[in-house]
Tab-separated table of all heavy atoms in Angstrom:
chain	number	residue	atom	x	y	z
L	131	VAL	N	-6.691	7.708	11.616
L	131	VAL	CA	-5.616	8.660	11.316
L	131	VAL	C	-4.390	7.914	10.793
L	131	VAL	O	-3.757	8.332	9.812
L	131	VAL	CB	-5.268	9.512	12.556
L	131	VAL	CG1	-3.985	10.299	12.344
L	131	VAL	CG2	-6.413	10.452	12.891
L	134	THR	N	-5.035	6.734	7.278
L	134	THR	CA	-4.937	7.867	6.362
L	134	THR	C	-3.477	8.189	6.052
L	134	THR	O	-3.110	8.417	4.897
L	134	THR	CB	-5.633	9.102	6.961
L	134	THR	OG1	-6.995	8.786	7.219
L	134	THR	CG2	-5.557	10.291	6.025
L	163	LEU	N	7.303	12.563	5.021
L	163	LEU	CA	7.586	13.007	6.391
L	163	LEU	C	7.413	14.518	6.531
L	163	LEU	O	6.828	14.990	7.518
L	163	LEU	CB	8.994	12.604	6.817
L	163	LEU	CG	9.155	11.183	7.318
L	163	LEU	CD1	10.623	10.863	7.581
L	163	LEU	CD2	8.336	10.953	8.575
L	164	SER	N	7.912	15.275	5.564
L	164	SER	CA	7.759	16.733	5.655
L	164	SER	C	6.289	17.127	5.551
L	164	SER	O	5.864	18.108	6.164
L	164	SER	CB	8.587	17.439	4.587
L	164	SER	OG	8.112	17.122	3.301
L	165	PHE	N	5.494	16.373	4.801
L	165	PHE	CA	4.073	16.652	4.668
L	165	PHE	C	3.309	16.259	5.935
L	165	PHE	O	2.508	17.032	6.453
L	165	PHE	CB	3.510	15.896	3.457
L	165	PHE	CG	2.025	16.021	3.289
L	165	PHE	CD1	1.482	17.182	2.775
L	165	PHE	CD2	1.191	14.986	3.628
L	165	PHE	CE1	0.113	17.316	2.614
L	165	PHE	CE2	-0.179	15.100	3.468
L	165	PHE	CZ	-0.722	16.270	2.964
L	166	ILE	N	3.564	15.059	6.426
L	166	ILE	CA	2.773	14.508	7.528
L	166	ILE	C	3.115	15.178	8.863
L	166	ILE	O	2.307	15.130	9.803
L	166	ILE	CB	2.948	12.970	7.590
L	166	ILE	CG1	1.675	12.293	8.077
L	166	ILE	CG2	4.101	12.566	8.461
L	166	ILE	CD1	0.567	12.286	7.125
L	167	GLN	N	4.254	15.812	8.973
L	167	GLN	CA	4.645	16.462	10.223
L	167	GLN	C	4.081	17.873	10.362
L	167	GLN	O	4.227	18.487	11.410
L	167	GLN	CB	6.165	16.493	10.353
L	167	GLN	CG	6.747	15.125	10.618
L	167	GLN	CD	8.251	15.129	10.659
L	167	GLN	OE1	8.900	16.089	10.262
L	167	GLN	NE2	8.830	14.040	11.138
L	168	ARG	N	3.418	18.359	9.323
L	168	ARG	CA	2.807	19.691	9.403
L	168	ARG	C	1.610	19.651	10.345
L	168	ARG	O	0.784	18.750	10.299
L	168	ARG	CB	2.363	20.152	8.017
L	168	ARG	CG	3.508	20.438	7.087
L	168	ARG	CD	3.077	20.851	5.719
L	168	ARG	NE	1.923	21.748	5.723
L	168	ARG	CZ	1.282	22.109	4.633
L	168	ARG	NH1	1.665	21.666	3.454
L	168	ARG	NH2	0.234	22.913	4.706
L	169	GLY	N	1.520	20.630	11.202
L	169	GLY	CA	0.450	20.693	12.191
L	169	GLY	C	-0.931	20.798	11.577
L	169	GLY	O	-1.894	20.200	12.063
L	170	ASP	N	-1.051	21.553	10.475
L	170	ASP	CA	-2.364	21.698	9.856
L	170	ASP	C	-2.830	20.389	9.223
L	170	ASP	O	-4.022	20.068	9.261
L	170	ASP	CB	-2.375	22.829	8.832
L	170	ASP	CG	-1.349	22.646	7.720
L	170	ASP	OD1	-0.332	21.956	7.942
L	170	ASP	OD2	-1.565	23.201	6.628
L	171	ILE	N	-1.919	19.610	8.699
L	171	ILE	CA	-2.273	18.312	8.119
L	171	ILE	C	-2.703	17.352	9.227
L	171	ILE	O	-3.711	16.650	9.101
L	171	ILE	CB	-1.091	17.730	7.313
L	171	ILE	CG1	-0.713	18.655	6.161
L	171	ILE	CG2	-1.394	16.320	6.831
L	171	ILE	CD1	-1.839	18.917	5.167
L	172	GLN	N	-1.961	17.321	10.313
L	172	GLN	CA	-2.324	16.451	11.437
L	172	GLN	C	-3.676	16.843	12.018
L	172	GLN	O	-4.512	15.979	12.295
L	172	GLN	CB	-1.248	16.517	12.515
L	172	GLN	CG	0.049	15.879	12.100
L	172	GLN	CD	1.126	16.048	13.141
L	172	GLN	OE1	0.934	16.678	14.184
L	172	GLN	NE2	2.298	15.486	12.870
L	173	ALA	N	-3.906	18.130	12.185
L	173	ALA	CA	-5.183	18.593	12.733
L	173	ALA	C	-6.336	18.231	11.805
L	173	ALA	O	-7.406	17.809	12.266
L	173	ALA	CB	-5.141	20.104	12.964
L	174	THR	N	-6.134	18.358	10.505
L	174	THR	CA	-7.177	18.011	9.546
L	174	THR	C	-7.490	16.521	9.589
L	174	THR	O	-8.660	16.118	9.574
L	174	THR	CB	-6.752	18.422	8.121
L	174	THR	OG1	-6.509	19.833	8.101
L	174	THR	CG2	-7.823	18.069	7.107
L	175	MET	N	-6.465	15.680	9.659
L	175	MET	CA	-6.691	14.234	9.723
L	175	MET	C	-7.433	13.855	11.002
L	175	MET	O	-8.373	13.054	10.966
L	175	MET	CB	-5.361	13.473	9.642
L	175	MET	CG	-4.734	13.506	8.285
L	175	MET	SD	-3.268	12.469	8.024
L	175	MET	CE	-2.586	12.151	9.584
L	176	ILE	N	-7.032	14.422	12.127
L	176	ILE	CA	-7.672	14.096	13.407
L	176	ILE	C	-9.110	14.604	13.427
L	176	ILE	O	-10.024	13.875	13.826
L	176	ILE	CB	-6.848	14.668	14.582
L	176	ILE	CG1	-5.518	13.919	14.690
L	176	ILE	CG2	-7.626	14.593	15.891
L	176	ILE	CD1	-4.523	14.563	15.626
L	177	LEU	N	-9.323	15.833	12.984
L	177	LEU	CA	-10.671	16.395	12.981
L	177	LEU	C	-11.600	15.607	12.068
L	177	LEU	O	-12.735	15.301	12.437
L	177	LEU	CB	-10.631	17.864	12.561
L	177	LEU	CG	-11.960	18.596	12.555
L	177	LEU	CD1	-12.541	18.621	13.963
L	177	LEU	CD2	-11.790	20.000	12.026
L	178	THR	N	-11.128	15.245	10.887
L	178	THR	CA	-11.945	14.464	9.956
L	178	THR	C	-12.290	13.103	10.545
L	178	THR	O	-13.442	12.655	10.471
L	178	THR	CB	-11.201	14.286	8.620
L	178	THR	OG1	-10.886	15.574	8.096
L	178	THR	CG2	-12.032	13.517	7.627
Side-chain angles (χ1 to χ4, degrees):
V131 169
T134 302
L163 278 174
S164 65
F165 175 77
I166 213 72
Q167 289 176 347
R168 292 178 40 188
D170 58 335
I171 299 301
Q172 291 176 358
T174 301
M175 288 187 338
I176 292 169
L177 182 62
T178 303

